[in-house]
Amino acid sequence: MSLDAKTVAKMARLARVGLSEEQVHTYQKEMQGIIGWVDQLNEVDVTDVPPMIGTGLAQPRLRDDQVTDGNCRDKVLSNAPDREGPFYTVPKVVE
Amino acid sequence: MMSSIFDHTLASAREALRSRKISAVELVDAHIDAIERLDGGLNSFITRTPEQARLAAKEADALLAKGEGGSLCGLPIGIKDLFATEGVRTTAASKILGNFVPPYESTVTANLKREGAISLGKLNLDEFAMGSTNLTSAFGGVENPWKLRDSDAKLVPGGSSGGSAAAVAAGLVLGATGTDTGGSIRQPAAFCGITGIKPTYGRCSRFGTIAFASSLDQAGPMARTLQDCAILLESMAGFDPKDSTSVNRPVPHYEAALGRGVKGLKVGIPKEYRIDGLPAEIEAIWQQGINWLKEAGAEVVDISLPHTKYGLPAYYIAALAEASSNLARYDGVRFGERVSGASLDALYEATRAAGFGDEVKRRILLGTYVLSSGYYDAYYLRAQKVRTLLQRDFLKAYETVDVILAPTAPSGAFAWDEKPTDPVQVYLNDVFTVPASMAGVPALSVPAGLDGRGVPLGLQLIGRFFDEETLLAAGSVLERAASFTHRPTIHAGVSA
């Protein structure tokens, strides 16, 4: 499958990674190479093979719906790059 | 030669501390001094914590004097900078976390501290553990303390746990934590002539370990001997309710397995690992390993792991998909560095453009691609099915053999400027380590000898789920037979 510059720019938008035009072209070449290489997986017969979504070693478990590590608001906020009181700040989203 | 404090292994230092032949303060001071002398060049540490370490050493001495203290009391170690450490900056070797100070402690490091281990600081790695050379760190590359015989060129320590491997090899710490997603403990251990264990997925908690690919990431020990790794693993491992993939099984006394021997053990040799273009030296060290195990009474059996070839491409799809999802959290809003923008989207894009390095961006973009609508089935779903086949390969092999022997990496350490520019060529470093990661089974690497250029080569053992003990027993036989006593050029015990 070919991966063109337009697709790379779209992925960058979806992933919210700002890229310059020049970077889009560099990544396009490298990503095309990698995708070309992984295309060999098409040789494998995966008929009736279930996808592996984990190693299946851990028992799924439930826990009580309780706060066990609470009252640490200031710790949670301690790494905020910008805040006002107990709030994170972002640019205006709703007009 | 006079014996020096840097001849100690973790195990022998533990004895010397308990019998009060040395004090924790002496031991810790000597290692802090070695870091000051050597790490300006090696760059194995991102953050050093000498003051905290000296305080902890005094407390350790007080406990040891009373005959108290945990199994690692007073022993200086290093922590890969992917483990969150409360109050100590944790960067994942990324600019985006350049000033991140976690308000909580990872379970693995909490376990080590509980036993009295003393951290000397946070060790360098590939950015977000993405790489096999430790050259993608935003804090600069790490130098391997080994040198080629006839050259002064800087060598790569392997990756992603390259800082851990280099620091242990150079004698700056007695042991270190690593994490392994596709080979990130085993390959740098092999490149630096040390020992490393990637335990069974679920053996060590992932809580507080910065995530790369959650279904593959697993913490493990790195040290100069298998006994040291066994001691560290026993404290790192264990059930953790905070990690939903943690497995609730008792932790064995791993040291006890070291002397079991391999008499009657069946060792599988996978024919698919004899890849085209495998260097003769790698082939030879592998054969040497086979002979060592045979001489010790093991039965060697040829086996087939038919999907080996597809391990790497399937790994990259799975790992990149998970990475793109895990790294979505670095958005400049709740923690990490922020670059402002006029809109929220502009803030995200600018923050992530400035905060992530090239390799990380490439992986996020590819991961986004293989998960995007229209491509999900063709790439991600297919890779997960191939992963099932890879795991079945191992489960079938373990019907006839107890353990598998293979090389750790297709080469020894290479120079910084020998690193291929094609990403696919770099990925091939992990060809022998990725299949065990995909299956979730445990594996280890032990140093087995030097290649013609004078750098270490490792042998890898791959075991059954939760059978780290058989790995240790067989690894111990290899370790004794190889009697690898070579030291790197740059070492704390060598005065300039």
Side-chain angles (χ1 to χ4, degrees):
Chain A
M1 255 173 265
S2 84
L3 208 166
D4 55 21
K6 219 178 107 194
T7 309
V8 175
K10 187 181 164 200
M11 293 308 126
R13 250 193 336 275
L14 287 174
R16 302 292 190 274
V17 176
L19 290 188
S20 68
E21 198 118 316
E22 197 191 324
Q23 284 174 310
V24 168
H25 285 282
T26 314
Y27 283 123
Q28 189 267 327
K29 258 186 267 165
E30 290 170 348
M31 288 168 64
Q32 177 66 47
I34 296 168
I35 287 294
W37 169 69
V38 303
D39 271 345
Q40 59 179 297
L41 292 180
N42 291 326
E43 299 163 14
V44 187
D45 180 7
V46 292
T47 319
D48 298 329
V49 178
M52 179 170 158
I53 46 171
T55 52
L57 297 168
Q59 293 296 315
R61 51 184 191 269
L62 296 171
R63 58 182 161 76
D64 294 335
D65 187 13
Q66 277 174 352
V67 176
T68 55
D69 191 17
N71 293 325
C72 49
R73 185 190 72 193
D74 290 336
K75 276 186 167 187
V76 170
L77 289 162
S78 63
N79 280 287
D82 190 41
R83 57 185 269 207
E84 273 183 43
F87 300 101
Y88 298 113
T89 61
V90 289
K92 197 168 176 185
V93 178
V94 184
E95 288 301 324
Chain B
M1 201 174 89
M2 281 262 296
S3 83
S4 105
I5 204 158
F6 300 107
D7 293 336
H8 275 300
T9 62
L10 187 99
S12 74
R14 182 180 61 175
E15 280 321 297
L17 283 172
R18 284 182 185 167
S19 59
R20 308 309 292 148
K21 287 202 180 74
I22 51 170
S23 70
V25 167
E26 262 178 283
L27 190 64
V28 163
D29 275 343
H31 284 87
I32 290 172
D33 173 65
I35 293 165
E36 278 166 15
R37 277 187 287 133
L38 299 178
D39 210 50
L42 291 176
N43 198 32
S44 67
F45 280 84
I46 290 177
T47 304
R48 304 178 192 176
T49 53
E51 290 82 16
Q52 291 99 311
R54 286 198 175 100
L55 276 178
K58 274 188 199 140
E59 288 168 20
D61 278 328
L63 286 170
L64 288 160
K66 291 187 278 183
E68 293 171 11
S71 65
L72 299 168
C73 188
L75 295 166
I77 61 164
I79 304 294
K80 185 180 185 179
D81 205 15
L82 201 64
F83 293 87
T85 42
E86 188 173 357
V88 176
R89 182 173 74 143
T90 299
T91 68
S94 181
K95 253 197 242 171
I96 211 157
L97 288 177
N99 296 297
F100 177 65
V101 179
Y104 61 96
E105 185 82 19
S106 83
T107 298
V108 162
T109 51
N111 290 347
L112 290 165
K113 279 188 186 164
R114 179 198 65 215
E115 294 302 327
I118 297 177
S119 169
L120 301 187
K122 306 297 293 289
L123 294 162
N124 209 339
L125 64 149
D126 280 299
E127 186 179 0
F128 283 106
M130 297 179 187
S132 314
T133 59
N134 213 129
L135 297 179
T136 72
S137 167
F139 295 84
V142 173
E143 181 178 356
N144 189 326
W146 290 82
K147 295 276 185 195
L148 300 178
R149 244 178 223 123
D150 309 312
S151 155
D152 197 41
K154 276 192 198 180
L155 304 184
V156 302
S160 67
S161 311
S164 301
V168 168
L172 306 184
V173 288
L174 290 169
T177 62
T179 62
D180 193 312
T181 302
S184 281
I185 287 175
R186 291 162 282 162
Q187 185 254 16
F191 274 23
C192 292
I194 65 160
T195 303
I197 303 178
K198 180 204 92 77
T200 308
Y201 183 80
R203 180 75 287 190
C204 294
S205 169
R206 291 182 302 107
F207 176 79
T209 311
I210 294 172
F212 159 17
S214 305
S215 78
L216 295 152
D217 298 342
Q218 185 57 206
M222 302 173 79
R224 293 195 286 273
T225 69
L226 263 183
Q227 186 187 9
D228 292 357
C229 280
I231 293 169
L232 289 167
L233 180 59
E234 196 169 322
S235 126
M236 293 165 72
F239 176 63
D240 180 10
K242 290 181 193 159
D243 171 4
S244 63
T245 59
S246 171
V247 179
N248 196 354
R249 293 173 67 112
V251 179
H253 180 44
Y254 288 118
E255 270 184 278
L258 292 163
R260 276 187 194 172
V262 293
K263 220 160 242 135
L265 204 72
K266 284 193 176 156
V267 180
I269 309 299
K271 66 173 186 203
E272 290 79 6
Y273 281 49
R274 297 193 192 280
I275 52 170
D276 288 343
L278 186 66
E281 286 183 304
I282 304 287
E283 183 93 43
I285 204 97
W286 192 7
Q287 188 56 48
Q288 181 62 261
I290 294 172
N291 296 346
W292 284 332
L293 290 172
K294 269 190 195 162
E295 282 157 23
E299 185 188 335
V300 171
V301 185
D302 285 324
I303 57 163
S304 172
L305 300 169
H307 297 90
T308 298
K309 177 185 169 197
Y310 304 106
L312 262 186
Y315 166 81
Y316 272 93
I317 291 179
L320 273 44
E322 292 185 30
S324 75
S325 166
N326 271 325
L327 270 58
R329 73 191 64 176
Y330 304 102
D331 57 6
V333 173
R334 291 158 302 148
F335 52 82
E337 299 303 298
R338 168 187 290 197
V339 177
S340 331
S343 67
L344 188 57
D345 277 337
L347 179 150
Y348 291 151
E349 290 192 359
T351 294
R352 290 160 66 80
F356 293 136
D358 281 343
E359 181 64 30
V360 172
K361 282 180 197 159
R362 181 159 52 229
R363 293 192 188 201
I364 289 174
L365 294 177
L366 273 164
T368 307
Y369 179 67
V370 300
L371 289 175
S372 63
S373 76
Y375 299 105
Y376 179 90
D377 286 358
Y379 290 113
Y380 186 62
L381 194 61
R382 174 166 282 268
Q384 283 185 308
K385 290 178 178 176
V386 173
R387 191 172 174 188
T388 297
L389 296 172
L390 284 156
Q391 190 185 47
R392 284 183 187 167
D393 282 358
F394 279 100
L395 298 181
K396 183 145 184 294
Y398 291 133
E399 288 171 10
T400 50
V401 299
D402 301 299
V403 68
I404 293 167
L405 177 72
T408 307
S411 76
F414 43 85
W416 278 30
D417 55 16
E418 284 178 295
K419 180 191 163 212
T421 48
D422 175 6
V424 171
Q425 287 304 314
V426 179
Y427 297 169
L428 290 176
N429 270 300
D430 299 330
V431 63
F432 297 134
T433 48
V434 147
S437 300
M438 289 294 268
V441 294
L444 60 75
S445 177
V446 286
L450 299 180
D451 74 2
R453 310 208 295 174
V455 293
L457 296 176
L459 281 173
Q460 182 183 205
L461 289 162
I462 307 169
R464 291 193 174 104
F465 287 128
F466 291 101
D467 194 9
E468 283 81 2
E469 289 165 286
T470 297
L471 286 184
L472 288 165
S476 214
V477 166
L478 293 175
E479 187 179 52
R480 272 197 303 274
S483 61
F484 186 89
T485 52
H486 307 281
R487 273 194 176 170
T489 309
I490 302 169
H491 190 276
V494 180
S495 39

